[in-house]
Short mmCIF file of all heavy atoms in Angstrom, two decimals:
data_model
loop_
_atom_site.label_atom_id
_atom_site.label_comp_id
_atom_site.label_asym_id
_atom_site.label_seq_id
_atom_site.Cartn_x
_atom_site.Cartn_y
_atom_site.Cartn_z
N ASP A 161 -74.24 249.93 -176.32
CA ASP A 161 -74.34 250.73 -175.09
C ASP A 161 -75.30 251.89 -175.37
O ASP A 161 -75.65 252.14 -176.53
CB ASP A 161 -72.97 251.26 -174.65
CG ASP A 161 -72.87 251.41 -173.13
OD1 ASP A 161 -73.73 252.12 -172.56
OD2 ASP A 161 -71.95 250.84 -172.53
N VAL A 162 -75.70 252.58 -174.30
CA VAL A 162 -76.59 253.73 -174.44
C VAL A 162 -75.92 255.02 -173.97
O VAL A 162 -76.57 256.07 -173.94
CB VAL A 162 -77.90 253.52 -173.65
CG1 VAL A 162 -78.70 252.37 -174.23
CG2 VAL A 162 -77.61 253.25 -172.16
N HIS A 163 -74.64 254.93 -173.60
CA HIS A 163 -73.93 256.07 -173.02
C HIS A 163 -73.19 256.82 -174.13
O HIS A 163 -72.21 256.33 -174.68
CB HIS A 163 -72.95 255.55 -171.97
CG HIS A 163 -72.28 256.61 -171.16
ND1 HIS A 163 -72.95 257.71 -170.67
CD2 HIS A 163 -71.00 256.75 -170.74
CE1 HIS A 163 -72.13 258.46 -169.97
NE2 HIS A 163 -70.93 257.91 -170.01
N THR A 164 -73.68 258.01 -174.47
CA THR A 164 -73.13 258.75 -175.61
C THR A 164 -71.64 259.05 -175.48
O THR A 164 -70.90 258.85 -176.45
CB THR A 164 -73.92 260.06 -175.82
OG1 THR A 164 -75.32 259.77 -175.84
CG2 THR A 164 -73.52 260.71 -177.13
N PRO A 165 -71.13 259.53 -174.33
CA PRO A 165 -69.69 259.75 -174.25
C PRO A 165 -68.88 258.49 -174.50
O PRO A 165 -67.83 258.53 -175.16
CB PRO A 165 -69.50 260.27 -172.82
CG PRO A 165 -70.82 260.87 -172.45
CD PRO A 165 -71.84 260.00 -173.11
N GLY A 166 -69.36 257.35 -173.99
CA GLY A 166 -68.66 256.09 -174.23
C GLY A 166 -68.67 255.70 -175.69
O GLY A 166 -67.68 255.17 -176.22
N GLN A 167 -69.78 255.94 -176.37
CA GLN A 167 -69.86 255.63 -177.80
C GLN A 167 -68.83 256.45 -178.57
O GLN A 167 -68.11 255.91 -179.42
CB GLN A 167 -71.28 255.93 -178.31
CG GLN A 167 -72.35 255.02 -177.74
CD GLN A 167 -73.76 255.52 -177.98
OE1 GLN A 167 -73.96 256.66 -178.44
NE2 GLN A 167 -74.75 254.71 -177.67
N GLY A 168 -68.77 257.74 -178.27
CA GLY A 168 -67.80 258.59 -178.95
C GLY A 168 -66.37 258.19 -178.62
O GLY A 168 -65.49 258.20 -179.48
N ASN A 169 -66.14 257.83 -177.35
CA ASN A 169 -64.79 257.45 -176.94
C ASN A 169 -64.33 256.18 -177.64
O ASN A 169 -63.18 256.09 -178.10
CB ASN A 169 -64.75 257.26 -175.42
CG ASN A 169 -63.37 257.43 -174.85
OD1 ASN A 169 -62.75 258.48 -174.99
ND2 ASN A 169 -62.84 256.40 -174.20
N LEU A 170 -65.21 255.18 -177.73
CA LEU A 170 -64.84 253.94 -178.41
C LEU A 170 -64.55 254.18 -179.88
O LEU A 170 -63.57 253.64 -180.43
CB LEU A 170 -65.95 252.90 -178.24
CG LEU A 170 -65.75 251.57 -179.00
CD1 LEU A 170 -64.40 250.93 -178.68
CD2 LEU A 170 -66.90 250.61 -178.70
N LEU A 171 -65.36 254.98 -180.53
CA LEU A 171 -65.11 255.28 -181.95
C LEU A 171 -63.76 255.95 -182.12
O LEU A 171 -63.00 255.62 -183.04
CB LEU A 171 -66.23 256.17 -182.49
CG LEU A 171 -67.59 255.51 -182.69
CD1 LEU A 171 -68.64 256.56 -183.02
CD2 LEU A 171 -67.53 254.45 -183.78
N GLY A 172 -63.45 256.90 -181.23
CA GLY A 172 -62.17 257.58 -181.32
C GLY A 172 -61.00 256.65 -181.07
O GLY A 172 -59.98 256.70 -181.78
N LEU A 173 -61.12 255.76 -180.07
CA LEU A 173 -60.05 254.80 -179.78
C LEU A 173 -59.82 253.86 -180.95
O LEU A 173 -58.67 253.57 -181.32
CB LEU A 173 -60.41 253.99 -178.52
CG LEU A 173 -60.39 254.74 -177.19
CD1 LEU A 173 -61.00 253.87 -176.08
CD2 LEU A 173 -58.97 255.14 -176.81
N ALA A 174 -60.90 253.35 -181.53
CA ALA A 174 -60.77 252.44 -182.67
C ALA A 174 -60.11 253.14 -183.86
O ALA A 174 -59.25 252.57 -184.54
CB ALA A 174 -62.13 251.89 -183.06
N ASP A 175 -60.50 254.39 -184.07
CA ASP A 175 -59.94 255.15 -185.19
C ASP A 175 -58.44 255.38 -185.00
O ASP A 175 -57.64 255.16 -185.93
CB ASP A 175 -60.67 256.48 -185.31
CG ASP A 175 -60.25 257.28 -186.52
OD1 ASP A 175 -60.09 256.69 -187.60
OD2 ASP A 175 -60.07 258.51 -186.38
N ARG A 176 -58.05 255.75 -183.80
CA ARG A 176 -56.64 256.01 -183.55
C ARG A 176 -55.80 254.74 -183.59
O ARG A 176 -54.62 254.78 -183.96
CB ARG A 176 -56.47 256.72 -182.20
CG ARG A 176 -56.97 258.16 -182.20
CD ARG A 176 -56.57 258.90 -180.95
NE ARG A 176 -57.22 258.39 -179.76
CZ ARG A 176 -58.41 258.78 -179.33
NH1 ARG A 176 -59.13 259.65 -180.05
NH2 ARG A 176 -58.93 258.30 -178.22
N ALA A 177 -56.41 253.61 -183.21
CA ALA A 177 -55.69 252.33 -183.25
C ALA A 177 -55.66 251.73 -184.65
O ALA A 177 -54.97 250.73 -184.88
CB ALA A 177 -56.32 251.35 -182.27
N GLY A 178 -56.42 252.31 -185.56
CA GLY A 178 -56.44 251.80 -186.92
C GLY A 178 -57.19 250.49 -187.09
O GLY A 178 -56.93 249.74 -188.03
N VAL A 179 -58.14 250.20 -186.18
CA VAL A 179 -58.92 248.96 -186.29
C VAL A 179 -60.24 249.25 -186.99
O VAL A 179 -60.79 250.35 -186.87
CB VAL A 179 -59.17 248.33 -184.91
CG1 VAL A 179 -57.85 248.02 -184.21
CG2 VAL A 179 -60.03 249.21 -184.03
N SER A 180 -60.74 248.27 -187.70
CA SER A 180 -61.99 248.45 -188.44
C SER A 180 -62.98 247.32 -188.16
O SER A 180 -63.95 247.16 -188.91
CB SER A 180 -61.70 248.52 -189.94
OG SER A 180 -61.06 247.33 -190.38
N ASN A 181 -62.74 246.55 -187.11
CA ASN A 181 -63.61 245.40 -186.81
C ASN A 181 -64.54 245.66 -185.64
O ASN A 181 -65.01 244.73 -184.99
CB ASN A 181 -62.75 244.15 -186.53
CG ASN A 181 -61.73 244.35 -185.43
OD1 ASN A 181 -61.18 245.44 -185.28
ND2 ASN A 181 -61.45 243.30 -184.66
N VAL A 182 -64.82 246.95 -185.37
CA VAL A 182 -65.77 247.32 -184.31
C VAL A 182 -66.92 248.09 -184.92
O VAL A 182 -66.73 248.98 -185.75
CB VAL A 182 -65.09 248.20 -183.23
CG1 VAL A 182 -66.13 248.68 -182.21
CG2 VAL A 182 -63.99 247.43 -182.53
N ARG A 183 -68.14 247.74 -184.49
CA ARG A 183 -69.33 248.53 -184.82
C ARG A 183 -70.01 248.89 -183.51
O ARG A 183 -70.15 248.04 -182.62
CB ARG A 183 -70.30 247.75 -185.73
CG ARG A 183 -69.68 247.27 -187.04
CD ARG A 183 -69.34 248.42 -187.97
NE ARG A 183 -68.74 247.95 -189.21
CZ ARG A 183 -67.44 247.76 -189.43
NH1 ARG A 183 -66.59 248.02 -188.45
NH2 ARG A 183 -66.99 247.33 -190.58
N VAL A 184 -70.43 250.12 -183.40
CA VAL A 184 -71.04 250.62 -182.16
C VAL A 184 -72.54 250.73 -182.36
O VAL A 184 -73.01 251.45 -183.25
CB VAL A 184 -70.44 251.98 -181.77
CG1 VAL A 184 -71.09 252.49 -180.49
CG2 VAL A 184 -68.93 251.86 -181.58
N ALA A 185 -73.30 250.01 -181.53
CA ALA A 185 -74.76 250.01 -181.62
C ALA A 185 -75.34 250.78 -180.45
O ALA A 185 -74.95 250.57 -179.30
CB ALA A 185 -75.29 248.58 -181.65
N ASN A 186 -76.28 251.65 -180.75
CA ASN A 186 -76.89 252.54 -179.76
C ASN A 186 -78.31 252.09 -179.46
O ASN A 186 -79.17 252.11 -180.35
CB ASN A 186 -76.90 253.97 -180.32
CG ASN A 186 -77.75 254.91 -179.50
OD1 ASN A 186 -77.59 255.00 -178.30
ND2 ASN A 186 -78.68 255.61 -180.16
N GLY A 187 -78.56 251.68 -178.20
CA GLY A 187 -79.93 251.34 -177.84
C GLY A 187 -80.02 250.11 -176.97
O GLY A 187 -79.06 249.70 -176.30
N ASP A 188 -81.18 249.49 -177.00
CA ASP A 188 -81.54 248.39 -176.12
C ASP A 188 -81.08 247.06 -176.72
O ASP A 188 -81.55 246.66 -177.80
CB ASP A 188 -83.06 248.39 -175.93
CG ASP A 188 -83.54 247.42 -174.87
OD1 ASP A 188 -82.80 246.50 -174.51
OD2 ASP A 188 -84.69 247.59 -174.40
N ALA A 189 -80.20 246.35 -176.01
CA ALA A 189 -79.68 245.08 -176.53
C ALA A 189 -80.77 244.02 -176.68
O ALA A 189 -80.66 243.13 -177.53
CB ALA A 189 -78.58 244.56 -175.60
N ILE A 190 -81.82 244.11 -175.88
CA ILE A 190 -82.91 243.13 -176.00
C ILE A 190 -83.60 243.28 -177.35
O ILE A 190 -83.90 242.28 -178.03
CB ILE A 190 -83.92 243.30 -174.85
CG1 ILE A 190 -83.24 243.08 -173.49
CG2 ILE A 190 -85.09 242.35 -175.02
CD1 ILE A 190 -82.66 241.70 -173.30
N ILE A 191 -83.87 244.50 -177.75
CA ILE A 191 -84.49 244.73 -179.06
C ILE A 191 -83.56 244.27 -180.17
O ILE A 191 -83.99 243.67 -181.17
CB ILE A 191 -84.87 246.20 -179.23
CG1 ILE A 191 -85.97 246.57 -178.24
CG2 ILE A 191 -85.32 246.51 -180.66
CD1 ILE A 191 -86.36 248.03 -178.27
N LEU A 192 -82.26 244.51 -180.03
CA LEU A 192 -81.30 244.04 -181.01
C LEU A 192 -81.35 242.52 -181.14
O LEU A 192 -81.45 241.98 -182.25
CB LEU A 192 -79.89 244.49 -180.61
CG LEU A 192 -78.74 243.94 -181.45
CD1 LEU A 192 -78.74 244.57 -182.84
CD2 LEU A 192 -77.40 244.15 -180.77
N LEU A 193 -81.28 241.82 -180.02
CA LEU A 193 -81.28 240.36 -180.05
C LEU A 193 -82.59 239.81 -180.60
O LEU A 193 -82.60 238.87 -181.40
CB LEU A 193 -81.05 239.82 -178.64
CG LEU A 193 -79.61 239.88 -178.12
CD1 LEU A 193 -79.59 239.76 -176.60
CD2 LEU A 193 -78.77 238.77 -178.75
N ARG A 194 -83.68 240.38 -180.19
CA ARG A 194 -84.99 239.82 -180.53
C ARG A 194 -85.43 240.14 -181.95
O ARG A 194 -86.01 239.28 -182.63
CB ARG A 194 -86.03 240.34 -179.53
CG ARG A 194 -87.37 239.62 -179.59
CD ARG A 194 -88.36 240.27 -178.66
NE ARG A 194 -88.61 241.65 -179.06
CZ ARG A 194 -88.93 242.62 -178.20
NH1 ARG A 194 -89.00 242.37 -176.90
NH2 ARG A 194 -89.17 243.83 -178.63
N GLU A 195 -85.12 241.35 -182.42
CA GLU A 195 -85.71 241.80 -183.67
C GLU A 195 -84.72 242.07 -184.80
O GLU A 195 -85.14 242.19 -185.95
CB GLU A 195 -86.51 243.09 -183.41
CG GLU A 195 -87.64 242.90 -182.40
CD GLU A 195 -88.46 244.16 -182.21
OE1 GLU A 195 -88.56 244.97 -183.15
OE2 GLU A 195 -89.01 244.33 -181.11
N MET A 196 -83.42 242.16 -184.49
CA MET A 196 -82.50 242.63 -185.51
C MET A 196 -81.37 241.65 -185.83
O MET A 196 -80.47 241.98 -186.60
CB MET A 196 -81.91 243.98 -185.10
CG MET A 196 -82.96 245.07 -184.94
SD MET A 196 -82.27 246.70 -184.53
CE MET A 196 -81.42 247.12 -186.06
N LEU A 197 -81.41 240.45 -185.25
CA LEU A 197 -80.39 239.44 -185.53
C LEU A 197 -81.04 238.14 -185.99
O LEU A 197 -82.08 237.73 -185.46
CB LEU A 197 -79.54 239.18 -184.29
CG LEU A 197 -78.66 240.33 -183.79
CD1 LEU A 197 -77.93 239.93 -182.52
CD2 LEU A 197 -77.68 240.78 -184.87
N GLU A 198 -80.40 237.51 -186.95
CA GLU A 198 -80.85 236.21 -187.44
C GLU A 198 -80.56 235.13 -186.39
O GLU A 198 -79.66 235.29 -185.56
CB GLU A 198 -80.12 235.85 -188.73
CG GLU A 198 -80.40 236.80 -189.90
CD GLU A 198 -81.69 236.45 -190.62
OE1 GLU A 198 -82.41 235.54 -190.15
OE2 GLU A 198 -81.97 237.09 -191.64
N PRO A 199 -81.28 234.01 -186.44
CA PRO A 199 -80.91 232.88 -185.58
C PRO A 199 -79.47 232.43 -185.87
O PRO A 199 -79.02 232.45 -187.02
CB PRO A 199 -81.92 231.79 -185.96
CG PRO A 199 -83.10 232.55 -186.49
CD PRO A 199 -82.53 233.75 -187.18
N ALA A 200 -78.76 232.05 -184.82
CA ALA A 200 -77.38 231.55 -184.94
C ALA A 200 -76.47 232.54 -185.67
O ALA A 200 -75.58 232.15 -186.41
CB ALA A 200 -77.35 230.19 -185.63
N ALA A 201 -76.67 233.83 -185.42
CA ALA A 201 -75.88 234.85 -186.11
C ALA A 201 -74.58 235.17 -185.39
O ALA A 201 -73.65 235.71 -185.99
CB ALA A 201 -76.70 236.13 -186.26
N LEU A 202 -74.50 234.84 -184.09
CA LEU A 202 -73.38 235.29 -183.27
C LEU A 202 -72.44 234.15 -182.91
O LEU A 202 -72.86 233.02 -182.67
CB LEU A 202 -73.90 235.93 -181.99
CG LEU A 202 -74.77 237.18 -182.14
CD1 LEU A 202 -75.38 237.57 -180.80
CD2 LEU A 202 -73.96 238.33 -182.73
N ASP A 203 -71.16 234.51 -182.82
CA ASP A 203 -70.13 233.55 -182.40
C ASP A 203 -69.75 233.71 -180.94
O ASP A 203 -68.91 232.96 -180.44
CB ASP A 203 -68.89 233.73 -183.27
CG ASP A 203 -69.13 233.29 -184.70
OD1 ASP A 203 -69.66 234.11 -185.48
OD2 ASP A 203 -68.80 232.14 -185.03
N GLY A 204 -70.35 234.65 -180.26
CA GLY A 204 -70.05 234.83 -178.85
C GLY A 204 -70.81 235.98 -178.25
O GLY A 204 -71.38 236.83 -178.95
N LEU A 205 -70.84 236.01 -176.92
CA LEU A 205 -71.48 237.09 -176.16
C LEU A 205 -70.57 237.47 -175.01
O LEU A 205 -70.05 236.60 -174.29
CB LEU A 205 -72.83 236.63 -175.61
CG LEU A 205 -73.51 237.59 -174.61
CD1 LEU A 205 -73.99 238.84 -175.33
CD2 LEU A 205 -74.67 236.90 -173.89
N ARG A 206 -70.37 238.77 -174.80
CA ARG A 206 -69.57 239.28 -173.70
C ARG A 206 -70.40 240.27 -172.89
O ARG A 206 -70.98 241.21 -173.46
CB ARG A 206 -68.31 239.97 -174.22
CG ARG A 206 -67.36 239.05 -174.96
CD ARG A 206 -66.26 239.80 -175.68
NE ARG A 206 -65.38 238.90 -176.42
CZ ARG A 206 -64.48 239.29 -177.32
NH1 ARG A 206 -64.34 240.59 -177.61
NH2 ARG A 206 -63.72 238.40 -177.93
N VAL A 207 -70.45 240.06 -171.60
CA VAL A 207 -71.13 240.98 -170.69
C VAL A 207 -70.18 241.22 -169.53
O VAL A 207 -70.08 240.40 -168.61
CB VAL A 207 -72.47 240.41 -170.19
CG1 VAL A 207 -73.19 241.45 -169.31
CG2 VAL A 207 -73.36 239.99 -171.35
N TYR A 208 -69.47 242.33 -169.58
CA TYR A 208 -68.45 242.63 -168.58
C TYR A 208 -68.93 243.72 -167.64
O TYR A 208 -69.27 244.83 -168.07
CB TYR A 208 -67.15 243.09 -169.24
CG TYR A 208 -66.50 242.05 -170.14
CD1 TYR A 208 -65.65 242.44 -171.18
CD2 TYR A 208 -66.74 240.68 -169.98
CE1 TYR A 208 -65.05 241.50 -172.01
CE2 TYR A 208 -66.15 239.74 -170.80
CZ TYR A 208 -65.30 240.15 -171.82
OH TYR A 208 -64.71 239.22 -172.63
N PHE A 209 -68.97 243.39 -166.38
CA PHE A 209 -69.30 244.35 -165.31
C PHE A 209 -70.63 245.07 -165.56
O PHE A 209 -70.70 246.30 -165.58
CB PHE A 209 -68.16 245.35 -165.11
CG PHE A 209 -66.86 244.67 -164.81
CD1 PHE A 209 -65.93 244.48 -165.83
CD2 PHE A 209 -66.58 244.19 -163.55
CE1 PHE A 209 -64.73 243.83 -165.58
CE2 PHE A 209 -65.38 243.53 -163.29
CZ PHE A 209 -64.45 243.35 -164.30
N PRO A 210 -71.70 244.29 -165.76
CA PRO A 210 -73.01 244.93 -165.89
C PRO A 210 -73.46 245.52 -164.56
O PRO A 210 -72.92 245.18 -163.50
CB PRO A 210 -73.92 243.77 -166.32
CG PRO A 210 -73.27 242.57 -165.68
CD PRO A 210 -71.79 242.82 -165.77
N ASP A 211 -74.43 246.39 -164.63
CA ASP A 211 -74.98 246.99 -163.41
C ASP A 211 -75.45 245.87 -162.49
O ASP A 211 -76.30 245.07 -162.88
CB ASP A 211 -76.14 247.92 -163.76
CG ASP A 211 -76.56 248.81 -162.61
OD1 ASP A 211 -76.45 248.36 -161.44
OD2 ASP A 211 -76.99 249.94 -162.85
N PRO A 212 -74.93 245.78 -161.25
CA PRO A 212 -75.32 244.67 -160.36
C PRO A 212 -76.68 244.83 -159.71
O PRO A 212 -77.20 243.89 -159.14
CB PRO A 212 -74.21 244.67 -159.30
CG PRO A 212 -73.78 246.09 -159.23
CD PRO A 212 -73.89 246.64 -160.63
N TRP A 213 -77.25 246.05 -159.79
CA TRP A 213 -78.52 246.32 -159.11
C TRP A 213 -78.51 245.65 -157.74
O TRP A 213 -79.23 244.67 -157.50
CB TRP A 213 -79.70 245.82 -159.96
CG TRP A 213 -79.84 246.53 -161.26
CD1 TRP A 213 -79.49 246.07 -162.49
CD2 TRP A 213 -80.40 247.84 -161.48
NE1 TRP A 213 -79.77 247.01 -163.46
CE2 TRP A 213 -80.33 248.11 -162.86
CE3 TRP A 213 -80.94 248.82 -160.63
CZ2 TRP A 213 -80.77 249.30 -163.42
CZ3 TRP A 213 -81.38 250.01 -161.19
CH2 TRP A 213 -81.29 250.23 -162.55
N PRO A 214 -77.71 246.15 -156.81
CA PRO A 214 -77.47 245.43 -155.56
C PRO A 214 -78.66 245.32 -154.62
O PRO A 214 -78.74 244.36 -153.84
CB PRO A 214 -76.34 246.24 -154.91
CG PRO A 214 -76.43 247.60 -155.51
CD PRO A 214 -76.91 247.40 -156.91
N LYS A 215 -79.59 246.29 -154.66
CA LYS A 215 -80.73 246.21 -153.76
C LYS A 215 -81.66 245.06 -154.17
O LYS A 215 -81.92 244.86 -155.35
CB LYS A 215 -81.50 247.53 -153.76
CG LYS A 215 -80.71 248.70 -153.19
CD LYS A 215 -81.52 249.98 -153.19
CE LYS A 215 -80.70 251.14 -152.62
NZ LYS A 215 -81.47 252.40 -152.63
N LYS A 216 -82.16 244.34 -153.18
CA LYS A 216 -82.95 243.15 -153.46
C LYS A 216 -84.16 243.46 -154.33
O LYS A 216 -84.51 242.69 -155.24
CB LYS A 216 -83.40 242.50 -152.15
CG LYS A 216 -84.10 241.17 -152.34
CD LYS A 216 -84.40 240.50 -151.02
CE LYS A 216 -85.07 239.15 -151.23
NZ LYS A 216 -85.36 238.47 -149.94
N ARG A 217 -84.79 244.60 -154.09
CA ARG A 217 -85.99 244.93 -154.87
C ARG A 217 -85.66 245.23 -156.33
O ARG A 217 -86.56 245.30 -157.17
CB ARG A 217 -86.73 246.11 -154.24
CG ARG A 217 -86.02 247.45 -154.31
CD ARG A 217 -86.89 248.55 -153.73
NE ARG A 217 -86.30 249.86 -153.83
CZ ARG A 217 -85.51 250.40 -152.92
NH1 ARG A 217 -85.20 249.71 -151.83
NH2 ARG A 217 -85.01 251.62 -153.08
N HIS A 218 -84.35 245.44 -156.64
CA HIS A 218 -83.94 245.72 -158.00
C HIS A 218 -83.33 244.51 -158.71
O HIS A 218 -82.93 244.62 -159.87
CB HIS A 218 -82.90 246.85 -158.02
CG HIS A 218 -83.48 248.18 -157.63
ND1 HIS A 218 -82.71 249.21 -157.11
CD2 HIS A 218 -84.75 248.66 -157.69
CE1 HIS A 218 -83.48 250.25 -156.87
NE2 HIS A 218 -84.72 249.95 -157.21
N HIS A 219 -83.26 243.37 -158.04
CA HIS A 219 -82.65 242.19 -158.67
C HIS A 219 -83.35 241.80 -159.98
O HIS A 219 -82.73 241.24 -160.87
CB HIS A 219 -82.67 240.99 -157.71
CG HIS A 219 -81.67 241.13 -156.59
ND1 HIS A 219 -81.49 240.15 -155.63
CD2 HIS A 219 -80.79 242.13 -156.28
CE1 HIS A 219 -80.55 240.55 -154.78
NE2 HIS A 219 -80.12 241.74 -155.16
N LYS A 220 -84.63 242.12 -160.07
CA LYS A 220 -85.38 241.79 -161.29
C LYS A 220 -84.85 242.56 -162.50
O LYS A 220 -85.16 242.21 -163.64
CB LYS A 220 -86.86 242.10 -161.09
CG LYS A 220 -87.14 243.56 -160.74
CD LYS A 220 -88.57 243.76 -160.29
CE LYS A 220 -88.80 245.20 -159.83
NZ LYS A 220 -90.18 245.39 -159.31
N ARG A 221 -84.04 243.60 -162.28
CA ARG A 221 -83.48 244.38 -163.37
C ARG A 221 -82.16 243.80 -163.90
O ARG A 221 -81.66 244.27 -164.91
CB ARG A 221 -83.25 245.83 -162.92
CG ARG A 221 -84.52 246.57 -162.56
CD ARG A 221 -84.23 248.02 -162.18
NE ARG A 221 -85.45 248.74 -161.85
CZ ARG A 221 -86.23 249.35 -162.73
NH1 ARG A 221 -85.90 249.32 -164.01
NH2 ARG A 221 -87.32 249.98 -162.36
#
Side-chain angles (χ1 to χ4, degrees):
D161 211 305
V162 295
H163 188 42
T164 310
Q167 294 166 351
N169 203 59
L170 175 54
L171 288 171
L173 290 170
D175 185 43
R176 289 191 293 274
V179 301
S180 59
N181 55 326
V182 175
R183 302 292 180 270
V184 179
N186 169 52
D188 189 341
I190 299 299
I191 294 176
L192 174 71
L193 283 161
R194 192 185 62 210
E195 300 183 28
M196 298 183 69
L197 294 178
E198 296 277 6
L202 298 171
D203 291 84
L205 171 70
R206 297 169 181 168
V207 184
Y208 298 155
F209 304 99
D211 193 327
W213 295 104
K215 295 181 180 179
K216 186 174 181 180
R217 68 176 183 271
H218 291 156
H219 287 182
K220 59 191 175 183
R221 296 182 179 274

